[in-house]
Amino acid sequence: MALAFTATSCPENAQIPDARGVFVTPKGAETARFVPWTGEASVQYQFALLREAGGGELIFAPGDYELEAGFRIARTNDLRVAGSRTTRLHFAPEPAVRPTLLAEATRGAVTLRVANSKTMRPGRSYQVYKESLEGDRILEFTVKSIEGETVHLTRGVHIMGHVKDIPAGSIVIDEINAFRVIECENLLIEGLEIDGMNRGDVHGHTTYCGVYAVGVNRPRQLPTTSGLTIRGCYIHGMKGRGVCVYSMKDILLEGNHVHTIDSQAMEIDHFAQGIVRGNTLGDAGVGVALNDAYDSLVEANTFQDCRMGVGLVKHFDDEPFNQGNIVRSNVFVGGGRGVNIQNGIRNNTVTDNHFGGLKKANWVEQKGGNVDERNVGM
């Protein structure tokens, strides 16, 4: 018997329902509820409810989600954040005109005079760079309210240690990270595409990142915040870092694909400890940075065309930081340098790695005091 199929067309002005949203299951709940996407605020509110519930699960439905500020997850434990097969979070385009300071910012001031302040929003955080956009940020602030050219701050201007002055003409940029994680334990982020859209022309450090996470800040002390896993994510097009984690232990960065990153694709930063395993890291300033890290493992990753594959960097001499780290069984293809260990760092191990397309002198660069064995060319 022949079957006949009749083609039907969608009316020209038909409205296709927006299926974007999140499935939210608070800790202890038996079923998830669906919350439609109406912008970042709709999801940010759900994170606040999950914090009150003591954790749970938030899953993004398939679709594209544009981020203007990113999500803030603060002091929420036992939480899973995941994507569906075609979930994509992407940064919004850069404003056509950037705000600039009309007058010098002075220590303790609670207002700034800003040109083009109409592009700014209360409650949002911003960073200030030199007019040349070179170097690191020279000011961070959060907006309380805006009256014309006067921007009221949530706290007085803090002059960072490396800053001499914050002159008129300095450029104001958005502080936007897909996920800003603060003092969370047992947090899992998995199965998400995060697209930085190569936004902006600033070499970001604490902005334009995929995931920027910090534990309880205890300078020069072992971390007390534990349990962050980022798994199976596709993070790309970041003008800052792909993933960076400070002052946490029991970090696991596993099975991610991270590429086209201006700074570090992944960084275990000040006073942190964790595992970086089975990731593909490409076209980054540094594939993996261990900065004042300790007892961390970088294993079975593939580095493709990174200007530096793995960098061990220190700012502090306190023990046990900058020692006990292992770089093992990775593959480095192309790029400029393989593993670089800053002078003065000792008691780390680089072993059983494979290098292709690099000069042997650049496989493992160190001044001594670390194990360098069974590393071979391809």
Side-chain angles (χ1 to χ4, degrees):
M1 180 176 67
L3 298 179
F5 294 92
T6 302
T8 60
S9 61
C10 186
E12 184 175 339
N13 297 321
Q15 296 295 314
I16 299 174
D18 188 347
R20 294 176 301 167
V22 290
F23 296 92
V24 181
T25 311
K27 192 173 185 178
E30 294 183 358
T31 58
R33 55 188 173 80
F34 181 73
V35 179
W37 168 263
T38 56
E40 286 168 286
S42 61
V43 175
Q44 187 62 59
Y45 181 64
Q46 299 308 312
F47 281 125
L49 294 179
L50 288 168
R51 175 183 175 181
E52 293 177 3
E57 185 175 71
L58 185 149
I59 300 176
F60 286 86
D64 276 4
Y65 299 81
E66 184 170 274
L67 307 182
E68 293 187 352
F71 301 113
R72 180 185 175 94
I73 309 175
R75 301 171 191 87
T76 305
N77 301 334
D78 304 321
L79 176 65
R80 175 178 180 249
V81 180
S84 304
R85 192 165 61 90
T86 56
T87 300
R88 173 175 170 261
L89 311 180
H90 65 92
F91 290 176
E94 191 84 15
V97 180
R98 284 192 175 120
T100 58
L101 297 188
L102 287 168
E104 180 180 2
T106 57
R107 187 187 304 274
V110 293
T111 62
L112 298 173
R113 289 190 58 230
V114 181
N116 300 312
S117 62
K118 62 182 179 295
T119 67
M120 304 172 69
R121 298 288 181 270
R124 298 262 182 92
S125 295
Y126 296 87
Q127 298 187 0
V128 177
Y129 281 74
K130 295 178 182 177
E131 191 171 1
S132 65
L133 294 177
E134 295 177 353
D136 199 357
R137 68 210 184 282
I138 56 177
L139 176 64
E140 297 176 330
F141 67 89
T142 300
V143 175
K144 182 178 180 180
S145 61
I146 302 172
E147 296 177 86
E149 294 177 344
T150 302
V151 176
H152 297 265
L153 313 182
T154 56
R155 66 168 190 167
V157 168
H158 170 69
I159 305 294
M160 293 183 277
H162 67 281
V163 176
K164 293 182 179 179
D165 61 351
I166 307 170
S170 297
I171 308 296
V172 180
I173 68 168
D174 298 315
E175 183 175 296
I176 174 172
N177 301 291
F179 291 98
R180 179 76 163 88
V181 177
I182 303 169
E183 298 176 13
C184 297
E185 296 199 325
N186 301 324
L187 171 63
L188 168 62
I189 298 174
E190 65 178 343
L192 286 165
E193 178 184 355
I194 304 175
D195 185 353
M197 303 287 288
N198 287 312
R199 175 174 171 169
D201 47 9
V202 172
H203 183 73
H205 189 64
T206 55
T207 187
Y208 301 149
C209 300
V211 179
Y212 171 27
V214 296
V216 175
N217 184 27
R218 291 161 44 90
R220 306 168 79 162
Q221 298 183 56
L222 291 172
T224 58
T225 309
S226 65
L228 170 66
T229 297
I230 301 175
R231 176 188 295 133
C233 291
Y234 174 36
I235 302 173
H236 58 105
M238 296 292 159
K239 286 294 185 178
R241 293 177 281 184
V243 177
C244 54
V245 189
Y246 293 76
S247 297
M248 294 189 72
K249 60 183 177 179
D250 301 326
I251 303 160
L252 176 61
L253 311 178
E254 182 176 53
N256 302 284
H257 184 62
V258 185
H259 75 80
T260 317
I261 309 294
D262 259 26
S263 298
Q264 296 82 4
M266 293 182 165
E267 183 163 10
I268 296 181
D269 216 325
H270 301 314
F271 327 119
Q273 174 274 329
I275 295 172
V276 181
R277 176 189 291 143
N279 303 283
T280 300
L281 310 169
D283 188 21
V286 180
V288 174
L290 302 178
N291 185 352
D292 291 324
Y294 73 100
D295 293 347
S296 293
L297 174 64
V298 180
E299 179 180 56
N301 303 283
T302 299
F303 298 85
Q304 299 176 330
D305 297 318
C306 294
R307 292 183 288 283
M308 179 189 296
V310 178
L312 277 68
V313 183
K314 73 167 185 171
H315 289 83
F316 300 94
D317 292 320
D318 306 74
E319 294 187 357
F321 307 114
N322 299 301
Q323 55 188 311
N325 300 299
I326 299 172
V327 181
R328 179 176 66 201
S329 303
N330 301 283
V331 175
F332 299 81
V333 180
R337 307 161 83 177
V339 180
N340 179 272
I341 303 176
Q342 182 180 318
N343 190 21
I345 294 180
R346 298 176 177 273
N347 302 320
N348 301 279
T349 300
V350 183
T351 183
D352 297 300
N353 299 285
H354 290 73
F355 298 88
L358 286 81
K359 295 179 181 179
K360 188 171 183 179
N362 298 129
W363 290 0
V364 182
E365 301 169 319
Q366 64 150 333
K367 297 295 184 181
N370 302 281
V371 175
D372 172 4
E373 63 183 13
R374 298 193 302 274
N375 296 299
V376 299
M378 297 187 296

